[in-house]
């Protein structure tokens, strides 16, 4: 991929993609594949499905590029497509039997989060405590209602502003703020006993 | 009084974590946190949760992701290119214009066409007209009455 493509603004790449430049769209894929995958993965916690949804989001975006009026809003538009696919996935999942994260850990005998951290070479006590907290946090996030989960992941994990999150989820900024407030409150309450132990030790 | 301050302080904590608090708000918040251990604990815990969120690990993405997307797009484009949309513009216009023309035509047609009168009604009108011509001073109601009486006879 050409170097200057990677440095170009979204508006220019989107316009070039609309004109049929596939290299320009490749640059957009390169730019947003990781943040998009990260968002989708933490919403649904299934790697294979998350990869599939991420790919499908880019495909849908490419095929509907002509519908995007404001090229500078490509990022929020792309995440909106992904969010709709996640919601469809959730609806289809209700028809299929699901396996809980706890049963996965018991059956396989491993926690994917802890395993990933171990492979990275985390050995210090403070960091292993954080890994436990991370595993718990992941479980608590997956237990959140979908509308709260979407908002907290977009805001706290991805760093979008309230206005951007509001456009993506399709609700007013006030609703985003209140959902975020409740989501943070729930997570804090669930993790409080573990966070309290940390504070006591300190 | 303290309860109200604590409630407000917790909202300010969340605004501070979102970098949406001005200097005045920060000053008020920190002065409250220094005096209220519960709120201070709340702030520390909420901040920690936010830090953990950012640190959540994500699995590695397939290295061939970009080429997978490309091949998916190509496959989708092969399915779509020669598909004629069910409602192309011409067909849509036809569906709109034809009923409109029919409506206008029927409106004009029925407006100008005289209603078919029954033979009896036509005779009555004729008689009424002749009677009023012969008796110009008689009122319309009286003329009708006379016609009815003569009809019965």
């Amino acid at each position: 991929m050409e170097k200057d493509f990677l440095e170009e603004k979204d508006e220019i790449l989107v316009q070039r993609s609309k004109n049929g430049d596939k290299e320009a769209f490749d640059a957009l894929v390169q730019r947003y594949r990781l943040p998009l995958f990260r968002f989708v993965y933490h919403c649904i916690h299934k790697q294979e499905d998350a990869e599939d949804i991420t790919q499908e989001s880019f495909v849908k975006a490419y095929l509907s590029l002509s519908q995007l009026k404001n090229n500078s809003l490509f990022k929020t538009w792309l995440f909106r497509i992904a969010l709709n696919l996640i919601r469809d996935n959730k609806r289809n999942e209700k028809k299929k039997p699901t396996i809980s994260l706890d049963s996965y850990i018991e059956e396989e005998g491993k926690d994917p989060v802890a395993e990933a951290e171990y492979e990275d070479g985390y050995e210090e006590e403070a960091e292993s405590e954080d890994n436990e907290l991370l595993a718990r946090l992941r479980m608590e996030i997956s237990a959140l209602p979908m509308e709260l989960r979407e908002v907290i992941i977009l805001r706290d994990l991805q760093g979008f502003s309230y206005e951007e999150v509001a456009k993506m989820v399709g609700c007013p900024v006030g609703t985003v703020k209140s959902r975020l407030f409740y989501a943070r409150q729930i997570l804090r309450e669930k993790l409080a006993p573990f966070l309290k132990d940390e504070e006591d030790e300190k | 009084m303290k309860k109200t301050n604590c409630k407000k302080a917790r909202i300010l904590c969340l605004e501070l974590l979102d970098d949406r608090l001005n200097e005045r708000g920060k000053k008020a918040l920190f002065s409250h946190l220094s005096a209220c251990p519960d709120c201070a604990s709340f702030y520390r815990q909420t901040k920690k949760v936010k830090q953990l969120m950012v640190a959540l690990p994500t699995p590695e993405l397939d290295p061939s992701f970009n080429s997978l997307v490309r091949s998916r797009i190509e496959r989708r484009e092969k399915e779509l290119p020669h598909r004629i949309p069910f409602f192309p513009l011409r067909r849509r216009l036809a569906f709109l214009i034809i009923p409109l023309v029919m409506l206008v035509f029927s409106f004009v047609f029925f407006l100008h066409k005289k209603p078919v009168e029954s033979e009896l009604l036509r005779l009555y009108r004729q008689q009424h007209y002749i009677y009023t011509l012969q008796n110009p001073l008689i009122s319309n109601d009286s003329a009708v009455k006379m016609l009815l009486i003569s009809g019965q006879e």
Side-chain angles (χ1 to χ4, degrees), chain A residues 127-164:
Chain A
E127 284 167 336
S128 72
E129 279 174 3
D130 259 2
N131 292 345
E132 267 186 55
L133 272 173
L134 283 170
R136 288 196 190 277
L137 177 62
R138 217 164 64 106
M139 279 172 63
E140 296 305 336
I141 289 171
S142 53
L144 283 174
M146 198 60 195
E147 59 269 15
L148 300 186
R149 205 188 310 172
E150 293 166 354
V151 165
I152 197 164
I153 289 171
L154 286 169
R155 176 76 195 112
D156 286 352
L157 198 69
Q158 298 290 134
F160 286 112
S161 67
Y162 285 155
E163 292 73 22
E164 284 173 325

Side-chain angles (χ1 to χ4, degrees), chain A residues 26 30 33 37-38 41-42 47 52 55-56 62-63 130 134 155 157 162 181 184 188 195, chain B residues 14 18 20 42 45-46 48 52-54 56-60 65-66 68 70 72-73 76-77:
Chain A
D26 277 349
Q30 185 65 24
R33 62 184 202 165
F37 174 68
R38 195 167 149 81
Y41 175 75
H42 288 291
Q47 186 172 353
D52 185 59
Q55 286 174 24
E56 188 60 27
Y62 181 80
L63 296 173
D130 259 2
L134 283 170
R155 176 76 195 112
L157 198 69
Y162 285 155
F181 178 83
R184 283 171 174 168
R188 192 195 63 81
L195 294 169
Chain B
L14 296 175
D18 285 339
R20 291 173 83 100
F42 171 88
Q45 287 174 355
T46 311
K48 181 71 182 174
L52 287 170
M53 288 275 309
V54 176
L56 275 172
T58 310
E60 288 278 319
F65 181 86
N66 288 26
L68 286 169
R70 245 179 272 127
R72 230 167 160 163
I73 289 171
R76 207 64 70 83
E77 278 184 323

Side-chain angles (χ1 to χ4, degrees), chain A:
Chain A
M1 199 175 301
E2 291 175 34
K3 220 176 185 180
D4 38 300
F5 266 149
L6 297 170
E7 289 159 8
E8 288 280 15
K9 284 186 180 173
D10 280 359
E11 297 99 309
I12 296 166
L13 289 175
V14 171
Q15 192 52 50
R16 282 189 185 174
S17 305
K18 281 180 179 179
N19 296 338
D21 187 346
K22 291 193 175 173
E23 290 260 328
F25 192 75
D26 277 349
L28 288 167
V29 172
Q30 185 65 24
R31 188 175 289 180
Y32 291 117
R33 62 184 202 165
L34 286 174
L36 192 63
F37 174 68
R38 195 167 149 81
F39 165 61
V40 176
Y41 175 75
H42 288 291
C43 278
I44 65 174
H45 291 292
K46 288 177 188 169
Q47 186 172 353
E48 224 176 88
D49 288 356
E51 281 192 17
D52 185 59
I53 288 173
T54 312
Q55 286 174 24
E56 188 60 27
S57 305
F58 281 113
V59 172
K60 278 188 179 266
Y62 181 80
L63 296 173
S64 326
L65 263 179
S66 55
Q67 293 174 22
L68 179 62
K69 304 294 176 200
N70 188 347
N71 291 350
S72 60
L73 297 177
F74 176 78
K75 189 181 180 184
T76 45
W77 182 66
L78 179 67
F79 273 77
R80 179 105 199 232
I81 292 172
L83 195 56
N84 288 334
L85 287 170
I86 289 167
R87 287 169 179 172
D88 291 341
N89 178 266
K90 190 86 184 157
R91 265 193 292 269
N92 294 335
E93 244 188 29
K94 280 179 182 173
K95 296 173 188 173
K96 293 180 200 171
T98 54
I99 302 166
S100 74
L101 193 63
D102 289 330
S103 64
Y104 169 78
I105 292 167
E106 282 166 15
E107 283 171 19
E108 299 287 324
K110 54 190 176 184
D111 179 352
V113 172
E115 206 182 58
E117 295 297 329
Y118 183 72
E119 282 170 5
D120 287 343
Y122 284 99
E123 286 168 13
E124 293 177 30
E125 208 179 288
E127 284 167 336
S128 72
E129 279 174 3
D130 259 2
N131 292 345
E132 267 186 55
L133 272 173
L134 283 170
R136 288 196 190 277
L137 177 62
R138 217 164 64 106
M139 279 172 63
E140 296 305 336
I141 289 171
S142 53
L144 283 174
M146 198 60 195
E147 59 269 15
L148 300 186
R149 205 188 310 172
E150 293 166 354
V151 165
I152 197 164
I153 289 171
L154 286 169
R155 176 76 195 112
D156 286 352
L157 198 69
Q158 298 290 134
F160 286 112
S161 67
Y162 285 155
E163 292 73 22
E164 284 173 325
V165 175
K167 276 184 193 159
M168 286 177 201
V169 302
C171 65
V173 172
T175 309
V176 169
K177 281 184 182 175
S178 62
R179 285 182 187 177
L180 198 58
F181 178 83
Y182 285 123
R184 283 171 174 168
Q185 196 173 29
I186 292 169
L187 291 178
R188 192 195 63 81
E189 282 168 10
K190 296 283 184 185
L191 294 176
F194 311 99
L195 294 169
K196 218 171 183 179
D197 291 340
E198 254 195 24
E199 283 176 21
D200 290 340
E201 279 172 24
K202 281 176 187 172

Side-chain angles (χ1 to χ4, degrees), chain B residues 92-144:
Chain B
R92 266 183 269 165
L93 283 171
F95 272 115
L96 192 65
I97 289 168
I98 290 171
L100 212 63
V101 167
M102 282 173 65
L103 199 69
V104 168
F105 181 71
S106 55
F107 181 75
V108 167
F109 179 76
F110 286 115
L111 199 68
H112 284 285
K113 190 175 173 161
K114 286 178 189 167
V116 174
E117 279 185 343
S118 67
E119 192 58 34
L120 196 65
L121 191 61
R122 194 186 64 77
L123 276 168
Y124 166 74
R125 282 188 195 277
Q126 212 172 18
Q127 290 284 339
H128 181 261
Y129 181 66
I130 294 164
Y131 197 84
T132 48
L133 276 178
Q134 288 169 353
N135 302 284
L137 295 174
I138 204 167
S139 72
N140 197 37
D141 285 344
S142 307
V144 168

Side-chain angles (χ1 to χ4, degrees), chain B residues 26-92:
Chain B
K26 281 181 192 174
K27 209 174 173 182
L29 176 62
F30 288 132
S31 73
H32 178 81
L33 293 180
S34 58
C36 180
D38 288 340
C39 287
S41 174
F42 171 88
Y43 173 68
R44 274 196 301 272
Q45 287 174 355
T46 311
K47 190 178 177 184
K48 181 71 182 174
V49 169
K50 194 175 177 189
Q51 285 169 348
L52 287 170
M53 288 275 309
V54 176
L56 275 172
T58 310
E60 288 278 319
L61 199 52
D62 191 333
S64 59
F65 181 86
N66 288 26
S67 54
L68 286 169
V69 170
R70 245 179 272 127
S71 55
R72 230 167 160 163
I73 289 171
E74 281 163 16
R75 227 182 306 133
R76 207 64 70 83
E77 278 184 323
K78 278 180 189 163
E79 289 166 19
L80 294 175
H82 302 294
R83 199 182 74 175
I84 298 162
F86 187 72
F87 276 111
L89 186 64
R90 263 182 282 175
R91 206 175 289 185
R92 266 183 269 165

